Amino acid sequence: MTSPLIDRLRSLLPPDAVVTEPDALAPGGQDMSRSAPSGVAAVLVRPRTTEQVAEVLRTADELQVPVVPQGARSGLVGAAAAMEGAVLLDLSRMDRILRIDAVDGVAVVQPGVVIADLQRAAAAQGLFYAPDPASADRATVGGTIATNAGGMRCVKYGVTRDAVRSLEVVLADGTVVRTRPATAKGVAGLDLTSLIVGSEGVLAVVTEATLALLPAPGPSRAVAGTFRTVADAIAAAGTIAAGPRLPSTLEFLDGVALRGVRIVLPEIPLPADATAWLIAVTDVREGAEEDLESFAAAFRDHGAITVARAEDPHAVEDLFAARRALNPALTAVRGGATHGDLAVPRSQLPALVEGAAEIQSRLGVEISLAGHVGDGNLHPTIVFDPSDAAEAAAARQAEGELLALAQTLGGTVAGEHGIGTLKLDAIAGELAPRILELQHGVKAVFDPKGILNPGRKLGGI
Amino acid sequence: MTSPLIDRLRSLLPPDAVVTEPDALAPGGQDMSRSAPSGVAAVLVRPRTTEQVAEVLRTADELQVPVVPQGARSGLVGAAAAMEGAVLLDLSRMDRILRIDAVDGVAVVQPGVVIADLQRAAAAQGLFYAPDPASADRATVGGTIATNAGGMRCVKYGVTRDAVRSLEVVLADGTVVRTRPATAKGVAGLDLTSLIVGSEGVLAVVTEATLALLPAPGPSRAVAGTFRTVADAIAAAGTIAAGPRLPSTLEFLDGVALRGVRIVLPEIPLPADATAWLIAVTDVREGAEEDLESFAAAFRDHGAITVARAEDPHAVEDLFAARRALNPALTAVRGGATHGDLAVPRSQLPALVEGAAEIQSRLGVEISLAGHVGDGNLHPTIVFDPSDAAEAAAARQAEGELLALAQTLGGTVAGEHGIGTLKLDAIAGELAPRILELQHGVKAVFDPKGILNPGRKLGGI
């Protein structure tokens, strides 16, 4: 296959960095949502250097061809799915950890580094990279920056943005710039670094990141409990959230999720009357005993049926088995399961639970509200029989109503998975028209020809 | 005094909210730098509501009159100094704490709330507002958001930006918008919240902030030590920074500062051969003993002359007396003292110390490098005889060279005090021309007529 675009790219990049065979292009068409809108891209490029990324963008900008930056494509909202006629810009070959420095407390890395690899490299030096999305074994630094990824440890350590000190990026026209010096503090400019974090590839392409590392925490210890009602579990989580001891992780499963867990992991002991499950983890070096006792007291005060403790990381992983099995468990219930993501202020979780129950009974669907309860960030899932068109339609309807409910409660339709294309329509429910206008204005400043992931992330107008 | 501007403002605001008497206007002319460029403003307005702020901006935008947002005017770079013919928009009457919520972990406050008042209100509920600039008794929420203020606790808790969940702002044309829902996590839009934090009033006017609160920490305990050389103290700080235990505060004084301390606080016992001083604070609930022993070991390993421990907050305050006296101490040395602010990666502190010594001997000045060594954020001060024009000129020369040195070392000319007008010329040394262009582009999106604090913060082009 040939075209002015492909000829130019072939002249600029090594032969193996320019791929046009349809079979090789096809895997890049989708992300983990498996359902996002996508089109047939013109070419896949696999640069190894910042200069090569710059050449690609210079070419695309001049020819006005859309560019879709891609990492591991483990996203769930279509932000990295292929686009008709586009250049797929695969950054996974830029996978070097360039520096880890304990005195500065930073890692300098390329965007294709897998999060779990970075975590291990930091740990080998007694350091800690806090962001820990569920996809850490696959997700890349670039993708997690593009989505401002969250995960299990945000309740204590914050989100990816909180770990990003400085970025080297390539702008739409191929200019390479560093957003700011990589000092711990610095206020010389507007915070373009945070602006690019979470921008899902519409503002610039990250080619190097300076990330903050922390001293390694202590070993994980945890308390898990079961409850007769979701309300009891949510109340216990609220007591912990409002209390003096911050867990490093605070996760929740509801009755629908537990039904699935009983199917896929029947060996996990769960009381017959348990319809909710909670785990609170601590990773402090000292005071773990006091933390666990405080969490357990909150569980007991809110009527926990069982309270189990895990005194070392292996035992914590055992307790966590139910949570880690969430996705297969939910699929096991009725064969099909949606992937949800929303967040509300923690004080609104009881109202969210009530509202979801109302939607459930009115639409005749089954909703699971499991997720990162410590952040108010749940992943509501509707389980349904995929062979039943009416059930599938009701599931979609319920999904939309849950997002609208979150917005009514002062929340968001995107806690940590992003907007991509799948949630573009929902944005207007929570961001004012002028905020949307400002965002499109900022996009035009960074990318006047609109070549970077066009039509994604920014909805509403 | 009357004019179309003032007539309009009088028709829109209560009588006591529009001030035109020169005597009443005059105090608003300056900030704490006492030397920033300023002009005679046309009018001072003192709104009590968001709607009044909106009326002011609508009027100013229509008449194309510059607006200078002001809080406590405790800034040090001229960002809130008066401007010729401008509207001074004093937000200090909007001083209500609207809500403190332990479950959500937030305070919802107006911009005029003084930081120390917010800290006390949070503490009364067992909560903690982490940002703690030195001016906390005077600085307001709005001003600290506008400057992304730092302070003594950033090494553990980060800067003001890290505590800002969501903002209600008034745009230049008077539109009132909320930047995002106030959830702990959320990725529905570009991060305009962080973009506005630290923007020194050039993008929007903050009228309400939702700020993250943490559980109250344990009581402060500390180790302070004296050293024969600055290099020893910096090495000890580096060992602590790279070590397994994160101090909540890590502060440094050099020999020039200690000379001043000996003058203003002669009762503080300081060895005759001490030319550097370090304090490391911990505020953990458990493990304080281990933290203090770890800090003390780092002090001893790097040749500390004395190592003193403080086991409770009162004793910590006693140890801190030398650090708190920094500004009067430095002024006491020779009568005059500049106010500096820069930051470098912590690994570059030894090079900064060496470079400063070279500048000192070459220019015949005396430089103090005291400050937040845990963040690599120092406040270099040149002490000089203000009656000696040559000394004052050499001090200014040294100040500029120190900023350039910080940039050479991968640092910034503005660690936490901002740019205002006083550091506009220095920005080009660290931000690429395209970064500066992007910032001006973003400014034009937010404020197309350029009425908000024009000519400040954004330099370089």
Side-chain angles (χ1 to χ4, degrees):
Chain A
M1 176 162 180
T2 184
S3 76
L5 170 70
I6 291 164
D7 293 345
R8 275 279 286 282
L9 291 172
R10 286 213 170 103
S11 75
L12 295 165
L13 300 177
D16 72 334
V18 182
V19 179
T20 58
E21 294 75 25
D23 284 1
L25 276 175
Q30 260 305 337
D31 68 1
M32 288 288 287
S33 73
R34 300 196 184 88
S35 61
S38 72
V40 179
V43 56
L44 166 70
V45 294
R46 301 185 292 190
R48 289 189 186 277
T49 68
T50 297
E51 187 43 42
Q52 289 172 359
V53 174
E55 296 282 17
V56 171
L57 290 187
R58 241 173 256 137
T59 303
D61 194 58
E62 197 185 313
L63 301 178
Q64 298 203 41
V65 177
V67 175
V68 179
Q70 296 186 321
R73 289 177 291 103
S74 53
L76 290 161
V77 291
M83 192 180 288
E84 192 66 30
V87 176
L88 302 183
L89 177 54
D90 173 9
L91 296 148
S92 60
R93 287 186 172 186
M94 294 180 68
D95 62 354
R96 283 185 302 141
I97 296 176
L98 302 170
R99 186 165 78 93
I100 289 185
D101 189 306
V103 172
D104 286 338
V106 299
V108 182
V109 301
Q110 291 189 316
V113 171
V114 171
I115 297 299
D117 291 336
L118 172 58
Q119 290 171 338
R120 277 188 289 266
Q125 300 197 32
L127 298 166
F128 179 63
Y129 182 62
D132 188 39
S135 54
D137 285 335
R138 180 173 169 191
T140 61
V141 165
T144 57
I145 288 173
T147 55
N148 190 16
M152 298 264 195
R153 298 198 287 233
C154 304
V155 62
K156 178 168 178 179
Y157 294 104
V159 292
T160 297
R161 187 202 69 176
D162 299 305
V164 178
R165 287 254 180 103
S166 175
L167 296 172
E168 177 195 84
V169 300
V170 183
L171 300 173
D173 66 0
T175 309
V176 181
V177 287
R178 196 166 289 275
T179 55
R180 58 176 299 275
T183 49
K185 287 154 86 176
V187 291
L190 299 178
D191 188 358
L192 303 186
T193 313
S194 296
L195 189 67
I196 290 167
V197 176
S199 65
E200 299 184 27
V202 308
L203 296 185
V205 176
V206 174
T207 48
E208 190 185 293
T210 304
L211 304 171
L213 303 178
L214 294 170
S220 292
R221 286 170 245 195
V223 176
T226 55
F227 297 82
R228 278 181 197 86
T229 71
V230 165
D232 285 348
I234 295 289
T239 296
I240 292 169
R245 291 172 181 277
L246 198 62
S248 57
T249 292
L250 185 57
E251 297 285 321
F252 160 71
L253 299 177
D254 75 346
V256 179
L258 291 184
R259 258 172 56 210
V261 171
R262 288 185 179 101
I263 297 168
V264 298
L265 291 174
E267 65 276 21
I268 292 185
L270 290 170
D273 56 345
T275 67
W277 177 95
L278 208 58
I279 191 167
V281 185
T282 183
D283 65 359
V284 294
R285 284 175 169 266
E286 290 89 20
E289 182 56 36
E290 291 87 342
D291 280 3
L292 295 183
E293 190 35 55
S294 165
F295 304 155
F299 284 26
R300 286 190 299 265
D301 288 351
H302 292 283
I305 310 170
T306 58
V307 178
R309 283 175 60 148
E311 302 286 352
D312 64 64
H314 283 289
V316 172
E317 274 310 298
D318 288 346
L319 278 189
F320 241 102
R323 172 66 180 88
R324 298 236 185 254
L326 179 60
N327 286 331
L330 287 168
T331 305
V333 175
R334 293 187 60 76
T338 62
H339 292 291
D341 175 41
L342 57 77
V344 294
R346 287 189 296 230
S347 62
Q348 299 304 308
L349 285 167
L352 182 74
V353 168
E354 280 177 37
E358 188 279 323
I359 293 169
Q360 176 162 285
S361 67
R362 177 163 45 78
L363 297 181
V365 292
E366 275 195 295
I367 301 171
S368 163
L369 284 177
H372 315 301
V373 70
D375 306 314
N377 175 206
L378 300 185
H379 297 307
T381 301
I382 297 103
V383 296
F384 64 100
D385 176 352
S387 69
D388 183 327
E391 267 196 40
R396 280 192 299 275
Q397 168 78 11
E399 225 181 347
E401 291 200 18
L402 281 164
L403 295 180
L405 171 63
Q407 291 177 328
T408 305
L409 298 172
T412 174
V413 298
E416 58 180 10
H417 290 173
I419 296 298
T421 49
L422 292 178
K423 288 191 171 167
L424 281 174
D425 293 341
I427 295 176
E430 75 189 68
L431 297 177
R434 272 304 290 281
I435 291 287
L436 297 171
E437 275 177 45
L438 291 173
Q439 297 193 355
H440 284 274
V442 168
K443 160 75 171 171
V445 168
F446 276 76
D447 177 20
K449 295 186 186 168
I451 64 157
L452 286 174
N453 229 4
R456 290 170 178 177
K457 178 71 181 182
L458 310 168
I461 57 175
Chain B
M1 174 154 182
T2 184
S3 76
L5 169 70
I6 291 164
D7 293 346
R8 275 279 287 281
L9 291 172
R10 287 216 168 100
S11 74
L12 294 164
L13 300 177
D16 72 334
V18 182
V19 178
T20 57
E21 293 75 25
D23 284 0
L25 274 174
Q30 261 304 338
D31 68 1
M32 287 288 287
S33 74
R34 299 195 186 88
S35 62
S38 73
V40 179
V43 57
L44 166 69
V45 295
R46 301 187 291 190
R48 289 192 187 273
T49 68
T50 297
E51 187 42 43
Q52 289 173 358
V53 175
E55 296 281 17
V56 170
L57 290 188
R58 242 173 257 137
T59 302
D61 194 57
E62 196 185 314
L63 301 178
Q64 297 204 43
V65 177
V67 175
V68 179
Q70 296 186 321
R73 290 177 289 104
S74 52
L76 290 161
V77 291
M83 191 179 290
E84 193 66 31
V87 176
L88 302 183
L89 177 54
D90 173 8
L91 295 148
S92 60
R93 287 186 174 187
M94 294 181 68
D95 63 353
R96 283 185 302 142
I97 296 175
L98 303 170
R99 186 165 78 92
I100 289 184
D101 189 306
V103 172
D104 286 338
V106 297
V108 182
V109 301
Q110 292 188 316
V113 170
V114 171
I115 297 298
D117 291 336
L118 172 58
Q119 290 171 337
R120 277 188 288 267
Q125 301 197 32
L127 298 166
F128 180 63
Y129 182 62
D132 188 38
S135 54
D137 284 335
R138 179 173 170 191
T140 61
V141 165
T144 56
I145 289 173
T147 54
N148 190 16
M152 298 264 194
R153 299 199 286 234
C154 303
V155 62
K156 178 169 179 179
Y157 294 105
V159 292
T160 297
R161 188 203 69 176
D162 299 304
V164 179
R165 287 253 180 105
S166 175
L167 298 171
E168 178 194 84
V169 300
V170 183
L171 300 174
D173 67 0
T175 310
V176 181
V177 287
R178 196 167 289 276
T179 54
R180 60 176 298 274
T183 49
K185 286 154 88 177
V187 291
L190 299 178
D191 189 357
L192 302 187
T193 313
S194 296
L195 189 67
I196 291 167
V197 176
S199 65
E200 299 183 28
V202 308
L203 296 185
V205 176
V206 174
T207 47
E208 191 186 293
T210 304
L211 303 171
L213 302 178
L214 293 170
S220 291
R221 285 171 244 196
V223 176
T226 55
F227 298 82
R228 277 180 198 87
T229 71
V230 166
D232 285 348
I234 295 290
T239 297
I240 292 170
R245 293 173 179 277
L246 197 63
S248 57
T249 292
L250 184 58
E251 297 285 322
F252 160 73
L253 298 176
D254 75 346
V256 179
L258 291 184
R259 257 172 56 208
V261 171
R262 288 185 179 100
I263 298 168
V264 297
L265 291 175
E267 65 276 20
I268 293 184
L270 289 170
D273 55 345
T275 68
W277 177 94
L278 209 57
I279 191 166
V281 184
T282 182
D283 65 358
V284 294
R285 284 173 170 267
E286 291 90 19
E289 182 57 36
E290 290 87 343
D291 280 2
L292 295 183
E293 190 36 54
S294 165
F295 304 155
F299 285 26
R300 286 190 299 264
D301 288 351
H302 293 283
I305 311 170
T306 58
V307 179
R309 284 175 58 148
E311 302 287 350
D312 64 64
H314 282 291
V316 172
E317 275 310 300
D318 287 347
L319 279 190
F320 242 102
R323 172 65 179 91
R324 298 235 185 256
L326 178 60
N327 286 331
L330 287 169
T331 305
V333 176
R334 292 187 61 77
T338 61
H339 292 290
D341 175 40
L342 57 78
V344 295
R346 286 189 298 229
S347 62
Q348 299 304 310
L349 285 167
L352 182 74
V353 168
E354 281 178 37
E358 188 278 323
I359 293 169
Q360 177 163 286
S361 69
R362 177 164 43 80
L363 298 181
V365 292
E366 273 194 296
I367 300 171
S368 163
L369 284 177
H372 314 301
V373 70
D375 306 313
N377 174 205
L378 299 184
H379 296 308
T381 302
I382 296 102
V383 296
F384 64 99
D385 176 352
S387 69
D388 182 327
E391 267 195 40
R396 278 192 301 276
Q397 168 78 11
E399 224 181 347
E401 291 200 19
L402 281 164
L403 296 180
L405 171 63
Q407 291 177 328
T408 305
L409 298 172
T412 174
V413 298
E416 58 179 11
H417 290 173
I419 296 299
T421 50
L422 292 179
K423 287 190 172 168
L424 281 174
D425 292 340
I427 296 177
E430 74 189 71
L431 297 176
R434 273 302 292 280
I435 291 288
L436 297 171
E437 274 177 46
L438 291 172
Q439 297 193 355
H440 284 275
V442 167
K443 160 75 171 172
V445 167
F446 275 75
D447 177 19
K449 296 186 185 169
I451 64 159
L452 285 173
N453 228 5
R456 290 169 180 178
K457 176 74 181 179
L458 310 169
I461 56 176

